[in-house]
Amino acid sequence: MAKRVITFGEIMLRLAPEGYYRFVQANSFGATYGGGEANVAVSLANYGMDAAFVTKLPKHEIGQAAVNELRKYGVDTKDIARGGDRVGIYFLEKGASQRPSKVIYDRAHSAISEASPEDFDWAKIFEGADWFHFTGITPALNDTVAGICLEACKKAKELGLTVSCDLNYRNKLWSKAKAGEVMGELCKYVDVCIANEEDASDVFGIKAANTDVTTGTVNHEGYKDVAKQLADRFGFTKVAITLRESLSANDNNWSAMLYDGTDYYFSKKYKMHIVDRVGGGDSFGGGLIYACLNDYDAQSTIEFAVAASCLKHSIEGDMNMVSVDEVTKLAGGDGSGRVQR
């Protein structure tokens, strides 16, 4: 029977100008849905896992459209609380060449940000579940939602679930000091920590030596040190760090490292030409969780997660529309992009 994963967070309406138009040029915006933990649930459902997403959405048609989007990919939506007035919105302007992508949030007073602890019965939600996943974006919404996150983490640990967290620092949502304080408490309950090259520094002040994300240089030894410091501080059983070398908005090198408390495993590096990078980290998380729950060895786990994420960068929208077979092929070395007949 497929292992069951519960993810918790905010799903948002994404509005984006067509192609590479700037906001000020746009006459129309394409509408899709996405959000850190929702994207992970969709990835896992696409891999054949039993994945559920928990949030709060309004009862009106826009709230229902977000629910329908999740259902389309086989995500279990039965524990989504309904109520409130707003679905959060974010506007995305896609970058190109030396012009970076831009995100503008319009998410204040969304249904999930105004949720109360009574909206979620975690003992019931976690029945039959093996894994709980959240990101640092969710507790950043406000103190109440951070409290709901903490309650979920405590109940998950009490019931024997594995808990994973993608630190996912967003400076538009909260300060580094606040993030460090809140995430420091939540991370006591986390088994598997996912971070990128900046998160550990922004949230916990843990820095990789001789690395500059803006120049695209990555120092392996520095990341080993970051992973070990994170694991030592919080008792994580695994720390996964994605390593993005940004050559331009369109071209990145992409790899990752997994630390299991004893050894360090580095994936192969992919040279990516990017179609849509939003959700890249979420697709990495989805791949990592899938591999862990299917008992992949450490090297195979990090290769699967990075390959999944590499493929996501070629897909429009927030969500990763790939199968286990496609990821396995790339992880095994077929990155030619030749037609599969």
Side-chain angles (χ1 to χ4, degrees), residues 57-242:
L57 284 166
K59 291 176 181 170
H60 59 51
E61 290 84 349
I62 305 302
Q64 191 57 43
V67 172
N68 293 353
E69 181 74 5
L70 294 160
R71 284 182 178 160
K72 184 162 83 175
Y73 300 108
V75 173
D76 180 352
T77 59
K78 74 176 185 326
D79 290 311
I80 292 179
R82 302 303 291 270
D85 300 316
R86 286 203 69 202
V87 175
I89 297 171
Y90 82 94
F91 297 88
L92 172 72
E93 177 185 276
K94 240 190 238 187
S97 194
Q98 279 72 24
R99 174 171 62 84
S101 293
K102 216 171 235 187
V103 167
I104 295 172
Y105 288 128
D106 177 15
R107 68 198 298 175
H109 307 295
S110 66
I112 183 64
S113 71
E114 297 190 345
S116 68
E118 295 71 44
D119 287 321
F120 308 102
D121 180 351
W122 291 109
K124 185 169 165 294
I125 290 166
F126 288 143
E127 265 175 29
D130 301 279
W131 194 291
F132 173 57
H133 177 75
F134 70 101
T135 76
I137 296 171
T138 303
L141 294 175
N142 58 48
D143 289 345
T144 307
V145 182
I148 295 169
C149 254
L150 184 59
E151 189 188 331
C153 286
K154 286 178 174 174
K155 183 55 75 174
K157 289 312 291 176
E158 186 188 311
L159 296 173
L161 280 74
T162 302
V163 178
S164 59
C165 175
D166 185 335
L167 293 181
N168 244 343
Y169 177 69
R170 295 286 183 270
N171 63 4
K172 290 186 178 179
L173 295 180
W174 57 355
S175 69
K176 291 178 183 179
K178 179 74 172 174
E181 177 195 331
V182 174
M183 295 307 292
E185 185 59 32
L186 287 165
C187 280
K188 293 174 186 173
Y189 302 92
V190 171
D191 302 291
V192 178
C193 177
I194 301 164
N196 70 18
E197 62 273 23
E198 294 173 285
D199 290 331
S201 164
D202 287 338
V203 179
F204 297 123
I206 295 172
K207 289 182 169 61
N210 303 324
T211 293
D212 184 351
V213 298
T214 54
T215 60
T217 53
V218 164
N219 166 31
H220 281 189
E221 291 305 316
Y223 286 111
K224 287 183 181 179
D225 184 45
V226 167
K228 187 169 182 349
Q229 283 188 60
L230 282 168
D232 289 350
R233 188 181 299 187
F234 295 106
F236 302 135
T237 56
K238 290 186 176 75
V239 178
I241 297 180
T242 56

Side-chain angles (χ1 to χ4, degrees), residues 293-335:
L293 282 172
N294 286 280
D295 301 321
Y296 284 34
D297 65 49
Q299 191 65 45
S300 303
T301 294
I302 199 66
E303 295 294 359
F304 186 89
V306 170
S309 184
C310 175
L311 288 171
K312 162 63 198 82
H313 285 75
S314 72
I315 295 166
E316 291 279 7
D318 278 41
M319 296 166 176
N320 200 15
M321 304 294 146
V322 296
S323 66
V324 170
D325 189 45
E326 288 171 317
V327 178
T328 305
K329 271 201 177 81
L330 178 58
D334 185 3

